[in-house]
Amino acid sequence: VIFYDVFTDVMSVRLALYIYDPTDAVVNQALVDFQTGILDKLQIGEPMWQPPVDVPPIIVPEPTPLPEPIPPMPAVNPDATQLKSDDHIRGNLNAPIVLIEYTDLECPFCKTFHPTLKAIKEGYGDQVAWVYRPFPLSFHVNAQKEAEAAECVASIGGNEKFWNFIDAIFDRTTSNGTGFALDDLAPLAEEVGVNVAEFNYCLDSGQFANKVADSLAEGMAAGVTGTPNTFLMVNGKVFNILPGALPRMVVEEAIRM
């Protein structure tokens, strides 16, 4: 505003000088007024411009926070993800995609997840192999013995009978520790085609107690803290870790990535 006024005054004076007559009292007074006005408007310390009092202050919005970065996949103990000669594998041994599941036969989430992996295995055929690893949780009372029983069935009857035994336990257990009675293990072993006398001797002697304990220790060393916990392997390397009883569509999406 001040600069506009000054500019206007200057133009007026230029016009006056153009027609200046030293004897014209009116023009002379105009020049005096111009000088005085300029000095008044340019006083030292006077603000050159102030915002109108009725203009609201400018509010700068808070910046939108950036999303949290996706944490890197933790390092995995290679011993926990390498296929072994005594592994229980459902599917093609040379499949490019391998799902290594650490599971508990008395875990309700494992019971829910078992048919999910079974459907994925059937849907992908020879492209996917499914590996069972026992991980009996200490607060599931029957889980340790049930895991040993499954090893006994595998030792006596082979891989197919082992998976039939596992499928049946998950199908029939009510979970949470004592969902499948230990007294029913022998009849189930006989049902899937295993000699009962051999089975009872194997289970009662604790023949596979150490193997189950070793699987538990390997899983813990790999970061497994609960069940089910599944390592997604692609061409022999850990590609992803699938914690919990994930829906089928989530697991398939991880496979397709």
Side-chain angles (χ1 to χ4, degrees), residues 90 103-116 118 130 132 146 162-176 179-181 184-185 188 191-192:
R90 195 172 219 166
T103 188
D104 176 331
L105 295 174
E106 281 293 325
C107 165
F109 303 105
C110 300
K111 175 181 172 70
T112 299
F113 195 51
H114 190 77
T116 298
K118 188 175 182 180
W130 175 14
Y132 162 95
E146 289 174 9
F162 165 84
W163 283 102
N164 291 339
F165 186 82
I166 293 293
D167 290 343
I169 287 187
F170 274 127
D171 183 57
R172 301 175 191 182
T173 184
T174 57
S175 303
N176 291 316
F180 192 90
D184 292 334
L185 291 173
L188 179 58
E191 180 183 326
V192 299

Side-chain angles (χ1 to χ4, degrees), residues 30-66:
L31 291 174
V32 172
D33 292 342
F34 167 73
Q35 182 179 8
T36 303
I38 291 296
L39 293 176
D40 288 342
K41 292 174 181 176
L42 298 179
Q43 290 182 35
I44 298 176
E46 180 179 329
M48 298 298 289
W49 178 82
Q50 293 181 351
V53 294
D54 59 342
V55 176
I58 299 175
I59 301 176
V60 180
E62 291 292 330
T64 303
L66 296 175

Side-chain angles (χ1 to χ4, degrees), residues 2-257:
I2 291 175
F3 288 110
Y4 176 78
D5 290 344
V6 172
F7 175 78
T8 303
D9 292 341
V10 170
M11 294 303 295
S12 299
V13 171
R14 284 184 176 179
L15 179 60
L17 291 175
Y18 182 75
I19 58 174
Y20 178 59
D21 181 353
T23 65
D24 191 330
V26 175
V27 173
N28 288 332
Q29 185 61 47
L31 291 174
V32 172
D33 292 342
F34 167 73
Q35 182 179 8
T36 303
I38 291 296
L39 293 176
D40 288 342
K41 292 174 181 176
L42 298 179
Q43 290 182 35
I44 298 176
E46 180 179 329
M48 298 298 289
W49 178 82
Q50 293 181 351
V53 294
D54 59 342
V55 176
I58 299 175
I59 301 176
V60 180
E62 291 292 330
T64 303
L66 296 175
E68 291 292 328
I70 298 174
M73 188 176 65
V76 176
N77 184 341
D79 291 339
T81 56
Q82 297 300 313
L83 294 183
K84 304 173 183 178
S85 59
D86 59 350
D87 267 329
H88 308 295
I89 302 175
R90 195 172 219 166
N92 178 18
L93 293 175
N94 299 315
I97 299 170
V98 178
L99 297 167
I100 301 179
E101 180 195 17
Y102 284 84
T103 188
D104 176 331
L105 295 174
E106 281 293 325
C107 165
F109 303 105
C110 300
K111 175 181 172 70
T112 299
F113 195 51
H114 190 77
T116 298
L117 288 188
K118 188 175 182 180
I120 289 173
K121 169 65 198 70
E122 293 173 353
Y124 281 81
D126 288 341
Q127 295 300 304
V128 171
W130 175 14
V131 179
Y132 162 95
R133 297 267 177 88
F135 196 89
L137 302 173
S138 59
F139 52 85
H140 289 158
V141 180
N142 291 357
Q144 172 71 28
K145 270 300 179 184
E146 289 174 9
E148 293 178 33
E151 297 295 335
C152 290
V153 170
S155 175
I156 300 167
N159 194 57
E160 183 177 354
K161 290 182 173 59
F162 165 84
W163 283 102
N164 291 339
F165 186 82
I166 293 293
D167 290 343
I169 287 187
F170 274 127
D171 183 57
R172 301 175 191 182
T173 184
T174 57
S175 303
N176 291 316
T178 56
F180 192 90
L182 297 183
D183 291 342
D184 292 334
L185 291 173
L188 179 58
E190 185 176 24
E191 180 183 326
V192 299
V194 170
N195 182 281
V196 176
E198 292 183 52
F199 173 83
N200 285 333
Y201 177 81
C202 174
L203 186 61
D204 293 343
S205 66
Q207 180 176 340
F208 290 102
N210 287 339
K211 179 181 179 181
V212 172
D214 289 345
S215 177
L216 182 67
E218 287 177 359
M220 293 177 64
V224 178
T225 58
T227 54
N229 194 290
T230 307
F231 294 94
L232 171 58
M233 311 287 295
V234 178
N235 296 323
K237 296 182 179 180
V238 178
F239 182 74
N240 209 334
I241 300 175
L242 310 176
L246 299 176
R248 178 178 177 177
M249 62 180 296
V250 175
V251 178
E252 290 184 335
E253 181 64 26
I255 291 175
R256 289 193 294 265
M257 287 179 62

